[in-house]
Amino acid sequence: MKTTNRLVPALALACALLGGTAAAAEPENQSDRFFRECRAAWAENNIGLADELCYKSLTHPDVNAIATDAKSQRLYNYAQLKRMLGNWDGAEELLRESLTIEEKRAGQTPDLPLARRLAELSIALAAQNKWAEGVQTIERLMPMADRFQGGERAAVAELFRNYVPQAAAAGRLELARQLEQYSQASPAPEPGFIKR
């Protein structure tokens, strides 16, 4: 589908707001240092070095000493970097690992960190033309979508707008209606390049 190739960069850009950083409360170990240096290299737009350092932060034995929420945040941030590099399968793998941690943490009360990972995962899946899995991910995200505010809400509205035809094509008409309704109620206008 030719439209997909144009949609994915727009989705990735729109959801760049879906992020955050975690503050380190414990003493820094080698894994912590690699992650801090990764973030610094990323901030300086030295993406190749950032990729290397983020990888080291997650593969160093010291990573076992960090809290699971910090590990989830590192995985999530590294997935965003992989997305920037166009390494969609790498981003998907990291997001799935972070999502597993967040699902255990959140339990029966899904929250914004879990929702952010689902949104990012749906982008990675769309980029790989894994629309069926993406629709399932969007369906999981839909009940949590009202937790997003401001720019994040606009980014999710854009994401949903792009999944409307995919949900409809999958025969998920009620989901497509809900996605459309959310998109219409959100502040982001529909870009002109989306053709239905």
Side-chain angles (χ1 to χ4, degrees), residues 118-180:
L118 289 169
E120 287 282 348
L121 180 58
S122 69
I123 294 168
L125 293 169
Q128 299 173 79
N129 288 320
K130 295 181 178 180
W131 291 105
E133 290 177 68
V135 168
Q136 291 173 353
T137 303
I138 287 290
E139 186 172 30
R140 289 183 59 203
L141 175 59
M142 185 71 226
M144 296 176 246
D146 284 335
R147 296 175 191 267
F148 292 104
Q149 300 296 319
E152 283 187 324
R153 186 174 181 88
V156 169
E158 177 65 16
L159 178 62
F160 283 2
R161 216 179 321 286
N162 286 285
Y163 263 96
V164 168
Q166 302 303 325
R172 307 301 311 273
L173 299 180
E174 178 58 23
L175 177 61
R177 185 195 65 74
Q178 291 173 349
L179 296 173
E180 182 71 34

Side-chain angles (χ1 to χ4, degrees), residues 66-131:
I66 66 172
T68 55
D69 59 335
K71 183 175 182 182
S72 176
Q73 189 65 45
R74 288 182 193 187
L75 290 162
Y76 178 63
N77 290 141
Y78 191 27
Q80 290 176 319
L81 182 63
K82 288 292 190 187
R83 174 172 47 86
M84 285 178 57
L85 293 167
N87 183 342
W88 297 105
D89 57 336
E92 178 187 351
E93 182 181 335
L94 292 163
L95 287 164
R96 288 190 186 280
E97 193 174 343
S98 179
L99 191 57
T100 298
I101 293 169
E102 293 301 322
E103 287 169 335
K104 287 178 186 172
R105 182 197 51 77
Q108 296 299 317
T109 53
D111 57 8
L112 201 51
L114 178 62
R116 287 180 177 132
R117 281 139 180 92
L118 289 169
E120 287 282 348
L121 180 58
S122 69
I123 294 168
L125 293 169
Q128 299 173 79
N129 288 320
K130 295 181 178 180
W131 291 105

